PDB file of all heavy atoms in Angstrom:
ATOM      1  N   LYS A 272       0.809  -1.219   0.000  1.00  0.00           N
ATOM      2  CA  LYS A 272       0.000   0.000   0.000  1.00  0.00           C
ATOM      3  C   LYS A 272       0.844   1.273   0.000  1.00  0.00           C
ATOM      4  O   LYS A 272       0.366   2.339  -0.396  1.00  0.00           O
ATOM      5  CB  LYS A 272      -0.910   0.016   1.237  1.00  0.00           C
ATOM      6  CG  LYS A 272      -1.793  -1.227   1.377  1.00  0.00           C
ATOM      7  CD  LYS A 272      -2.678  -1.427   0.145  1.00  0.00           C
ATOM      8  CE  LYS A 272      -3.584  -2.651   0.308  1.00  0.00           C
ATOM      9  NZ  LYS A 272      -4.378  -2.916  -0.922  1.00  0.00           N
ATOM     10  N   GLN A 273       2.084   1.175   0.474  1.00  0.00           N
ATOM     11  CA  GLN A 273       2.923   2.364   0.645  1.00  0.00           C
ATOM     12  C   GLN A 273       4.377   1.995   0.368  1.00  0.00           C
ATOM     13  O   GLN A 273       4.848   0.959   0.832  1.00  0.00           O
ATOM     14  CB  GLN A 273       2.801   2.880   2.085  1.00  0.00           C
ATOM     15  CG  GLN A 273       3.763   3.985   2.463  1.00  0.00           C
ATOM     16  CD  GLN A 273       3.289   5.346   2.003  1.00  0.00           C
ATOM     17  OE1 GLN A 273       2.158   5.726   2.275  1.00  0.00           O
ATOM     18  NE2 GLN A 273       4.147   6.084   1.302  1.00  0.00           N
ATOM     19  N   VAL A 274       5.075   2.838  -0.397  1.00  0.00           N
ATOM     20  CA  VAL A 274       6.504   2.651  -0.622  1.00  0.00           C
ATOM     21  C   VAL A 274       7.237   3.914  -0.185  1.00  0.00           C
ATOM     22  O   VAL A 274       6.914   5.021  -0.637  1.00  0.00           O
ATOM     23  CB  VAL A 274       6.816   2.350  -2.097  1.00  0.00           C
ATOM     24  CG1 VAL A 274       8.334   2.383  -2.340  1.00  0.00           C
ATOM     25  CG2 VAL A 274       6.271   0.984  -2.507  1.00  0.00           C
ATOM     26  N   TYR A 275       8.204   3.737   0.705  1.00  0.00           N
ATOM     27  CA  TYR A 275       9.118   4.807   1.085  1.00  0.00           C
ATOM     28  C   TYR A 275      10.391   4.632   0.254  1.00  0.00           C
ATOM     29  O   TYR A 275      11.096   3.626   0.393  1.00  0.00           O
ATOM     30  CB  TYR A 275       9.428   4.752   2.577  1.00  0.00           C
ATOM     31  CG  TYR A 275       8.208   4.971   3.446  1.00  0.00           C
ATOM     32  CD1 TYR A 275       7.591   3.908   4.088  1.00  0.00           C
ATOM     33  CD2 TYR A 275       7.671   6.246   3.598  1.00  0.00           C
ATOM     34  CE1 TYR A 275       6.464   4.106   4.880  1.00  0.00           C
ATOM     35  CE2 TYR A 275       6.542   6.453   4.380  1.00  0.00           C
ATOM     36  CZ  TYR A 275       5.948   5.379   5.022  1.00  0.00           C
ATOM     37  OH  TYR A 275       4.830   5.577   5.793  1.00  0.00           O
ATOM     38  N   ALA A 276      10.640   5.584  -0.618  1.00  0.00           N
ATOM     39  CA  ALA A 276      11.704   5.445  -1.608  1.00  0.00           C
ATOM     40  C   ALA A 276      12.993   6.109  -1.137  1.00  0.00           C
ATOM     41  O   ALA A 276      12.996   7.257  -0.682  1.00  0.00           O
ATOM     42  CB  ALA A 276      11.256   6.068  -2.931  1.00  0.00           C
ATOM     43  N   VAL A 277      14.091   5.369  -1.287  1.00  0.00           N
ATOM     44  CA  VAL A 277      15.425   5.872  -0.935  1.00  0.00           C
ATOM     45  C   VAL A 277      16.320   5.719  -2.147  1.00  0.00           C
ATOM     46  O   VAL A 277      16.453   4.613  -2.690  1.00  0.00           O
ATOM     47  CB  VAL A 277      16.011   5.092   0.264  1.00  0.00           C
ATOM     48  CG1 VAL A 277      17.403   5.610   0.605  1.00  0.00           C
ATOM     49  CG2 VAL A 277      15.091   5.162   1.471  1.00  0.00           C
ATOM     50  N   ASP A 278      16.928   6.819  -2.600  1.00  0.00           N
ATOM     51  CA  ASP A 278      17.830   6.738  -3.751  1.00  0.00           C
ATOM     52  C   ASP A 278      18.692   8.000  -3.805  1.00  0.00           C
ATOM     53  O   ASP A 278      18.176   9.104  -3.602  1.00  0.00           O
ATOM     54  CB  ASP A 278      17.055   6.603  -5.061  1.00  0.00           C
ATOM     55  CG  ASP A 278      17.939   6.091  -6.194  1.00  0.00           C
ATOM     56  OD1 ASP A 278      18.694   6.905  -6.764  1.00  0.00           O
ATOM     57  OD2 ASP A 278      17.891   4.882  -6.486  1.00  0.00           O
ATOM     58  N   PRO A 279      20.000   7.851  -4.092  1.00  0.00           N
ATOM     59  CA  PRO A 279      20.881   9.017  -4.114  1.00  0.00           C
ATOM     60  C   PRO A 279      20.802   9.845  -5.389  1.00  0.00           C
ATOM     61  O   PRO A 279      21.237  11.001  -5.398  1.00  0.00           O
ATOM     62  CB  PRO A 279      22.275   8.390  -3.963  1.00  0.00           C
ATOM     63  CG  PRO A 279      22.140   7.045  -4.587  1.00  0.00           C
ATOM     64  CD  PRO A 279      20.750   6.597  -4.244  1.00  0.00           C
ATOM     65  N   ALA A 280      20.279   9.285  -6.476  1.00  0.00           N
ATOM     66  CA  ALA A 280      20.260   9.983  -7.769  1.00  0.00           C
ATOM     67  C   ALA A 280      18.924  10.692  -7.954  1.00  0.00           C
ATOM     68  O   ALA A 280      17.899  10.062  -8.218  1.00  0.00           O
ATOM     69  CB  ALA A 280      20.506   9.002  -8.909  1.00  0.00           C
ATOM     70  N   LEU A 281      18.951  12.009  -7.818  1.00  0.00           N
ATOM     71  CA  LEU A 281      17.706  12.771  -7.897  1.00  0.00           C
ATOM     72  C   LEU A 281      17.063  12.700  -9.272  1.00  0.00           C
ATOM     73  O   LEU A 281      15.849  12.852  -9.412  1.00  0.00           O
ATOM     74  CB  LEU A 281      17.968  14.226  -7.504  1.00  0.00           C
ATOM     75  CG  LEU A 281      18.411  14.436  -6.052  1.00  0.00           C
ATOM     76  CD1 LEU A 281      18.642  15.922  -5.783  1.00  0.00           C
ATOM     77  CD2 LEU A 281      17.391  13.873  -5.071  1.00  0.00           C
ATOM     78  N   VAL A 282      17.874  12.472 -10.318  1.00  0.00           N
ATOM     79  CA  VAL A 282      17.294  12.360 -11.655  1.00  0.00           C
ATOM     80  C   VAL A 282      16.357  11.156 -11.750  1.00  0.00           C
ATOM     81  O   VAL A 282      15.455  11.121 -12.583  1.00  0.00           O
ATOM     82  CB  VAL A 282      18.404  12.268 -12.725  1.00  0.00           C
ATOM     83  CG1 VAL A 282      19.096  10.905 -12.685  1.00  0.00           C
ATOM     84  CG2 VAL A 282      17.831  12.513 -14.117  1.00  0.00           C
ATOM     85  N   GLY A 283      16.553  10.179 -10.850  1.00  0.00           N
ATOM     86  CA  GLY A 283      15.665   9.022 -10.832  1.00  0.00           C
ATOM     87  C   GLY A 283      14.220   9.410 -10.600  1.00  0.00           C
ATOM     88  O   GLY A 283      13.304   8.746 -11.091  1.00  0.00           O
ATOM     89  N   ARG A 284      13.997  10.473  -9.855  1.00  0.00           N
ATOM     90  CA  ARG A 284      12.626  10.911  -9.598  1.00  0.00           C
ATOM     91  C   ARG A 284      11.940  11.348 -10.887  1.00  0.00           C
ATOM     92  O   ARG A 284      10.745  11.100 -11.084  1.00  0.00           O
ATOM     93  CB  ARG A 284      12.616  12.052  -8.579  1.00  0.00           C
ATOM     94  CG  ARG A 284      13.208  11.667  -7.236  1.00  0.00           C
ATOM     95  CD  ARG A 284      12.980  12.740  -6.202  1.00  0.00           C
ATOM     96  NE  ARG A 284      13.660  12.424  -4.952  1.00  0.00           N
ATOM     97  CZ  ARG A 284      13.484  13.069  -3.801  1.00  0.00           C
ATOM     98  NH1 ARG A 284      12.617  14.071  -3.764  1.00  0.00           N
ATOM     99  NH2 ARG A 284      14.150  12.731  -2.724  1.00  0.00           N
ATOM    100  N   LYS A 285      12.683  11.992 -11.762  1.00  0.00           N
ATOM    101  CA  LYS A 285      12.118  12.395 -13.049  1.00  0.00           C
ATOM    102  C   LYS A 285      11.809  11.164 -13.891  1.00  0.00           C
ATOM    103  O   LYS A 285      10.756  11.085 -14.531  1.00  0.00           O
ATOM    104  CB  LYS A 285      13.095  13.311 -13.781  1.00  0.00           C
ATOM    105  CG  LYS A 285      13.361  14.636 -13.088  1.00  0.00           C
ATOM    106  CD  LYS A 285      14.340  15.486 -13.884  1.00  0.00           C
ATOM    107  CE  LYS A 285      14.619  16.804 -13.180  1.00  0.00           C
ATOM    108  NZ  LYS A 285      15.592  17.651 -13.940  1.00  0.00           N
ATOM    109  N   LEU A 286      12.733  10.210 -13.900  1.00  0.00           N
ATOM    110  CA  LEU A 286      12.531   8.994 -14.680  1.00  0.00           C
ATOM    111  C   LEU A 286      11.364   8.168 -14.128  1.00  0.00           C
ATOM    112  O   LEU A 286      10.701   7.444 -14.869  1.00  0.00           O
ATOM    113  CB  LEU A 286      13.802   8.154 -14.688  1.00  0.00           C
ATOM    114  CG  LEU A 286      15.038   8.787 -15.339  1.00  0.00           C
ATOM    115  CD1 LEU A 286      16.256   7.890 -15.143  1.00  0.00           C
ATOM    116  CD2 LEU A 286      14.803   9.049 -16.818  1.00  0.00           C
ATOM    117  N   ALA A 287      11.132   8.289 -12.823  1.00  0.00           N
ATOM    118  CA  ALA A 287      10.091   7.492 -12.176  1.00  0.00           C
ATOM    119  C   ALA A 287       8.717   8.131 -12.250  1.00  0.00           C
ATOM    120  O   ALA A 287       7.715   7.480 -11.927  1.00  0.00           O
ATOM    121  CB  ALA A 287      10.445   7.261 -10.715  1.00  0.00           C
ATOM    122  N   ALA A 288       8.638   9.375 -12.664  1.00  0.00           N
ATOM    123  CA  ALA A 288       7.399  10.148 -12.532  1.00  0.00           C
ATOM    124  C   ALA A 288       6.193   9.452 -13.157  1.00  0.00           C
ATOM    125  O   ALA A 288       5.113   9.377 -12.550  1.00  0.00           O
ATOM    126  CB  ALA A 288       7.584  11.531 -13.133  1.00  0.00           C
ATOM    127  N   LYS A 289       6.345   8.913 -14.373  1.00  0.00           N
ATOM    128  CA  LYS A 289       5.213   8.271 -15.041  1.00  0.00           C
ATOM    129  C   LYS A 289       4.800   6.999 -14.308  1.00  0.00           C
ATOM    130  O   LYS A 289       3.601   6.713 -14.175  1.00  0.00           O
ATOM    131  CB  LYS A 289       5.556   7.969 -16.497  1.00  0.00           C
ATOM    132  CG  LYS A 289       5.643   9.206 -17.383  1.00  0.00           C
ATOM    133  CD  LYS A 289       5.899   8.832 -18.830  1.00  0.00           C
ATOM    134  CE  LYS A 289       5.943  10.063 -19.711  1.00  0.00           C
ATOM    135  NZ  LYS A 289       6.203   9.725 -21.137  1.00  0.00           N
ATOM    136  N   ARG A 290       5.769   6.233 -13.840  1.00  0.00           N
ATOM    137  CA  ARG A 290       5.439   4.997 -13.126  1.00  0.00           C
ATOM    138  C   ARG A 290       4.742   5.319 -11.806  1.00  0.00           C
ATOM    139  O   ARG A 290       3.810   4.624 -11.408  1.00  0.00           O
ATOM    140  CB  ARG A 290       6.707   4.169 -12.895  1.00  0.00           C
ATOM    141  CG  ARG A 290       7.328   3.608 -14.163  1.00  0.00           C
ATOM    142  CD  ARG A 290       8.501   2.688 -13.845  1.00  0.00           C
ATOM    143  NE  ARG A 290       9.070   2.090 -15.048  1.00  0.00           N
ATOM    144  CZ  ARG A 290      10.242   2.444 -15.577  1.00  0.00           C
ATOM    145  NH1 ARG A 290      10.970   3.382 -14.979  1.00  0.00           N
ATOM    146  NH2 ARG A 290      10.691   1.863 -16.665  1.00  0.00           N
ATOM    147  N   VAL A 291       5.215   6.343 -11.110  1.00  0.00           N
ATOM    148  CA  VAL A 291       4.593   6.738  -9.846  1.00  0.00           C
ATOM    149  C   VAL A 291       3.153   7.197 -10.089  1.00  0.00           C
ATOM    150  O   VAL A 291       2.228   6.825  -9.358  1.00  0.00           O
ATOM    151  CB  VAL A 291       5.416   7.846  -9.163  1.00  0.00           C
ATOM    152  CG1 VAL A 291       4.663   8.418  -7.969  1.00  0.00           C
ATOM    153  CG2 VAL A 291       6.774   7.310  -8.719  1.00  0.00           C
ATOM    154  N   ALA A 292       2.961   8.002 -11.132  1.00  0.00           N
ATOM    155  CA  ALA A 292       1.619   8.514 -11.439  1.00  0.00           C
ATOM    156  C   ALA A 292       0.657   7.398 -11.818  1.00  0.00           C
ATOM    157  O   ALA A 292      -0.545   7.478 -11.531  1.00  0.00           O
ATOM    158  CB  ALA A 292       1.707   9.539 -12.566  1.00  0.00           C
ATOM    159  N   ALA A 293       1.162   6.343 -12.454  1.00  0.00           N
ATOM    160  CA  ALA A 293       0.308   5.247 -12.920  1.00  0.00           C
ATOM    161  C   ALA A 293       0.053   4.190 -11.850  1.00  0.00           C
ATOM    162  O   ALA A 293      -0.789   3.316 -12.035  1.00  0.00           O
ATOM    163  CB  ALA A 293       0.943   4.583 -14.146  1.00  0.00           C
ATOM    164  N   SER A 294       0.765   4.268 -10.742  1.00  0.00           N
ATOM    165  CA  SER A 294       0.667   3.226  -9.723  1.00  0.00           C
ATOM    166  C   SER A 294      -0.386   3.560  -8.675  1.00  0.00           C
ATOM    167  O   SER A 294      -0.519   4.714  -8.254  1.00  0.00           O
ATOM    168  CB  SER A 294       2.026   3.046  -9.027  1.00  0.00           C
ATOM    169  OG  SER A 294       1.924   2.110  -7.976  1.00  0.00           O
ATOM    170  N   PRO A 295      -1.142   2.563  -8.218  1.00  0.00           N
ATOM    171  CA  PRO A 295      -2.091   2.784  -7.117  1.00  0.00           C
ATOM    172  C   PRO A 295      -1.393   2.873  -5.764  1.00  0.00           C
ATOM    173  O   PRO A 295      -2.022   3.199  -4.755  1.00  0.00           O
ATOM    174  CB  PRO A 295      -2.990   1.545  -7.186  1.00  0.00           C
ATOM    175  CG  PRO A 295      -2.103   0.478  -7.739  1.00  0.00           C
ATOM    176  CD  PRO A 295      -1.194   1.172  -8.721  1.00  0.00           C
ATOM    177  N   ILE A 296      -0.085   2.594  -5.734  1.00  0.00           N
ATOM    178  CA  ILE A 296       0.676   2.598  -4.491  1.00  0.00           C
ATOM    179  C   ILE A 296       1.160   4.014  -4.188  1.00  0.00           C
ATOM    180  O   ILE A 296       1.698   4.702  -5.061  1.00  0.00           O
ATOM    181  CB  ILE A 296       1.884   1.647  -4.595  1.00  0.00           C
ATOM    182  CG1 ILE A 296       1.416   0.219  -4.894  1.00  0.00           C
ATOM    183  CG2 ILE A 296       2.711   1.682  -3.324  1.00  0.00           C
ATOM    184  CD1 ILE A 296       2.548  -0.722  -5.253  1.00  0.00           C
ATOM    185  N   ALA A 297       0.993   4.446  -2.952  1.00  0.00           N
ATOM    186  CA  ALA A 297       1.512   5.743  -2.529  1.00  0.00           C
ATOM    187  C   ALA A 297       3.033   5.672  -2.414  1.00  0.00           C
ATOM    188  O   ALA A 297       3.569   4.734  -1.812  1.00  0.00           O
ATOM    189  CB  ALA A 297       0.904   6.133  -1.187  1.00  0.00           C
ATOM    190  N   VAL A 298       3.724   6.638  -3.003  1.00  0.00           N
ATOM    191  CA  VAL A 298       5.184   6.679  -2.972  1.00  0.00           C
ATOM    192  C   VAL A 298       5.635   7.976  -2.310  1.00  0.00           C
ATOM    193  O   VAL A 298       5.232   9.066  -2.724  1.00  0.00           O
ATOM    194  CB  VAL A 298       5.786   6.593  -4.392  1.00  0.00           C
ATOM    195  CG1 VAL A 298       7.310   6.730  -4.337  1.00  0.00           C
ATOM    196  CG2 VAL A 298       5.393   5.276  -5.060  1.00  0.00           C
ATOM    197  N   ASP A 299       6.452   7.844  -1.267  1.00  0.00           N
ATOM    198  CA  ASP A 299       7.037   9.002  -0.600  1.00  0.00           C
ATOM    199  C   ASP A 299       8.559   8.873  -0.644  1.00  0.00           C
ATOM    200  O   ASP A 299       9.115   7.835  -0.253  1.00  0.00           O
ATOM    201  CB  ASP A 299       6.590   9.080   0.866  1.00  0.00           C
ATOM    202  CG  ASP A 299       5.126   9.448   1.012  1.00  0.00           C
ATOM    203  OD1 ASP A 299       4.657  10.295   0.240  1.00  0.00           O
ATOM    204  OD2 ASP A 299       4.460   8.878   1.900  1.00  0.00           O
ATOM    205  N   TYR A 300       9.220   9.918  -1.110  1.00  0.00           N
ATOM    206  CA  TYR A 300      10.681   9.935  -1.112  1.00  0.00           C
ATOM    207  C   TYR A 300      11.159  10.369   0.268  1.00  0.00           C
ATOM    208  O   TYR A 300      10.793  11.449   0.748  1.00  0.00           O
ATOM    209  CB  TYR A 300      11.204  10.882  -2.181  1.00  0.00           C
ATOM    210  CG  TYR A 300      10.981  10.387  -3.588  1.00  0.00           C
ATOM    211  CD1 TYR A 300       9.834  10.746  -4.286  1.00  0.00           C
ATOM    212  CD2 TYR A 300      11.911   9.546  -4.201  1.00  0.00           C
ATOM    213  CE1 TYR A 300       9.615  10.278  -5.584  1.00  0.00           C
ATOM    214  CE2 TYR A 300      11.708   9.087  -5.489  1.00  0.00           C
ATOM    215  CZ  TYR A 300      10.554   9.452  -6.174  1.00  0.00           C
ATOM    216  OH  TYR A 300      10.337   8.988  -7.451  1.00  0.00           O
ATOM    217  N   VAL A 301      11.974   9.528   0.895  1.00  0.00           N
ATOM    218  CA  VAL A 301      12.335   9.789   2.292  1.00  0.00           C
ATOM    219  C   VAL A 301      13.830   9.937   2.532  1.00  0.00           C
ATOM    220  O   VAL A 301      14.234  10.275   3.634  1.00  0.00           O
ATOM    221  CB  VAL A 301      11.781   8.688   3.222  1.00  0.00           C
ATOM    222  CG1 VAL A 301      10.259   8.680   3.206  1.00  0.00           C
ATOM    223  CG2 VAL A 301      12.333   7.318   2.868  1.00  0.00           C
ATOM    224  N   GLY A 302      14.660   9.683   1.546  1.00  0.00           N
ATOM    225  CA  GLY A 302      16.085   9.794   1.812  1.00  0.00           C
ATOM    226  C   GLY A 302      16.935   9.472   0.610  1.00  0.00           C
ATOM    227  O   GLY A 302      16.443   9.020  -0.427  1.00  0.00           O
TER     228      GLY A 302
END
């Protein structure tokens, strides 16, 4: 139901944007 995302490469957030928007799972970037 919830994913707390940890990743050092901030560009990953841009690459992930479409997948995050299409997913029913809540994603929060935490570190």
